[in-house]
Amino acid sequence: MKKFIKRFVKVRNTTEHFRHSEHYKTRDIVSAYGFLTPALILAILFIVLPIILAFTYGFTDYYLLKPNDKEFNGLENFKRMMTDEVLIQSFKNTIKFVVFVVPLQLSMALGLALIVNKKIRGVGFFRTAYFSPAVLSLVVISILWTVMLNPTSGLMNELLANVGISKQPFLSSASQAMYTIIAISAWSGCGYQMMIFLAGLKNIDGSLYEAADIDGANAFQKFLFITIPSLKPILMFLVITTTIQAFKLIVQPMVMTGGGPDYSTITILQYIYEYGFRHRNIGYASAITLVFTIFLVVISIIIKKLFREEKAA
């Protein structure tokens, strides 16, 4: 305890010395702000300014081709959202995607991490192979899968035909399109989470498994009572990041289905893009953006609160 107090006093005295030093006030502060300025400029241009503009335009009838004719219309845009069936459908589609893709992607990532964590020959090749989709462009992945899932001449239907299964519509079916996008998204993104899980598995003390072997625990018991509790902080981190990322779904449905068929795959961000850039209705698109931003903030707060409670427990 005495050593800790002495160290604390030493650090505090050093900090106070530099804080009141003229050298610290000039050179170090200028250097710090010099490194910080580019990030601040980018944050203001691409985060703060768009939020302010969206808040401003959300209460107007701003039409992109007539920028000088915009007028304040109060809550009309927000009232319109309550009766917009396509918007409601896009919200339901986004929620469905998040609910299904997060557990599926994390389960696949953990399973792959357990596989490549084995000390066997050639395991490095499989780590690279499983991780490679995570570094590819989502546009490229979407185009490749669109070709392979072609209902008439696609590779996947040819493989199904060889095992006696009839050809499936996949992306051209309203009942299958979203689930197909969920599966592709989970496959393309699980490699990133796999590497994080793998790092966590490497840090688990091997003596825990040895003690479990002595006690006669089987593989499932070791996984349930050693692996999962040891990976809980990493798991909670991945749940938060994967959930937030899933809410930003736009590339896959835009490239693979265009939001169809029958609006079965259109998402919130795609709907905002459609109204803002194709229909040029900036006012209504800004109002949707505001509501969606507030929704994401609430979701983030809830997840962080759950994470803190889990951590405290």
Side-chain angles (χ1 to χ4, degrees), residues 195-214:
M195 298 302 294
I196 297 178
F197 274 130
L198 183 60
L201 291 173
K202 294 293 185 182
N203 289 327
I204 298 178
D205 190 356
S207 62
L208 297 176
Y209 293 105
E210 295 175 359
D213 289 331
I214 296 174

Side-chain angles (χ1 to χ4, degrees), residues 58-59 72-80:
F59 298 91
F72 178 79
N73 63 358
L75 300 176
E76 289 300 320
N77 291 327
F78 300 93
K79 293 178 181 178
R80 179 181 173 185

Side-chain angles (χ1 to χ4, degrees), residues 78-95:
F78 300 93
K79 293 178 181 178
R80 179 181 173 185
M81 293 167 54
M82 303 299 294
T83 57
D84 191 338
E85 295 182 359
V86 179
L87 175 62
I88 296 173
Q89 181 63 39
S90 67
F91 180 76
K92 292 179 180 179
N93 292 338
T94 305
I95 295 296

Side-chain angles (χ1 to χ4, degrees), residues 16 28 35 39 67 72 81-82 89 102 104 115 128 133 150 165 171 176 199 221-222 228 237 259 262 267 274:
E16 292 294 331
D28 292 348
F35 285 107
F72 178 79
M81 293 167 54
M82 303 299 294
Q89 181 63 39
V102 172
L104 177 61
I115 293 174
T128 304
N150 187 285
I165 301 177
L171 298 173
Q176 295 185 12
Q221 290 173 328
K222 288 188 288 186
I228 294 299
F237 165 76
D262 298 329
T267 62
E274 293 286 338

Side-chain angles (χ1 to χ4, degrees), residues 52-74 77 280-284 286:
I52 295 174
L53 292 176
F55 182 81
T56 303
Y57 296 152
F59 298 91
T60 67
D61 59 353
Y62 182 22
Y63 184 63
L64 188 60
L65 299 182
K66 297 179 180 179
N68 297 324
D69 296 338
K70 61 178 178 290
E71 295 181 358
F72 178 79
N73 63 358
N77 291 327
R280 276 83 173 179
N281 195 332
I282 300 297
Y284 187 51
S286 299

Side-chain angles (χ1 to χ4, degrees), residues 157-170:
N157 272 320
E158 293 297 330
L159 294 176
L160 292 177
N162 290 335
V163 296
I165 301 177
S166 60
K167 293 185 177 181
Q168 301 296 316
F170 292 118

Side-chain angles (χ1 to χ4, degrees), residues 37-195:
T37 299
L40 286 175
I41 294 175
L42 292 175
I44 292 172
L45 288 177
F46 296 103
I47 298 177
V48 178
L49 184 60
I51 291 175
I52 295 174
L53 292 176
F55 182 81
T56 303
Y57 296 152
F59 298 91
T60 67
D61 59 353
Y62 182 22
Y63 184 63
L64 188 60
L65 299 182
K66 297 179 180 179
N68 297 324
D69 296 338
K70 61 178 178 290
E71 295 181 358
F72 178 79
N73 63 358
L75 300 176
E76 289 300 320
N77 291 327
F78 300 93
K79 293 178 181 178
R80 179 181 173 185
M81 293 167 54
M82 303 299 294
T83 57
D84 191 338
E85 295 182 359
V86 179
L87 175 62
I88 296 173
Q89 181 63 39
S90 67
F91 180 76
K92 292 179 180 179
N93 292 338
T94 305
I95 295 296
K96 179 190 291 187
F97 178 82
V98 173
V99 170
F100 280 93
V101 81
V102 172
L104 177 61
Q105 185 169 329
L106 293 180
S107 299
M108 293 172 61
L110 180 56
L112 293 176
L114 293 172
I115 293 174
V116 299
N117 193 41
K118 304 294 183 181
K119 295 181 180 180
I120 57 177
R121 186 176 181 181
V123 70
F125 168 79
F126 292 100
R127 291 177 184 173
T128 304
Y130 296 150
F131 179 72
S132 57
V135 299
L136 294 177
S137 168
L138 286 176
V139 175
V140 173
I141 291 175
S142 300
I143 293 174
L144 289 175
W145 276 103
T146 302
V147 174
M148 290 193 294
L149 295 174
N150 187 285
T152 57
S153 59
L155 175 62
M156 294 302 297
N157 272 320
E158 293 297 330
L159 294 176
L160 292 177
N162 290 335
V163 296
I165 301 177
S166 60
K167 293 185 177 181
Q168 301 296 316
F170 292 118
L171 298 173
S172 59
S173 169
S175 61
Q176 295 185 12
M178 178 54 77
Y179 296 105
T180 303
I181 292 176
I182 289 171
I184 294 172
S185 300
W187 166 83
S188 64
C190 68
Y192 171 75
Q193 285 88 352
M194 177 200 72
M195 298 302 294

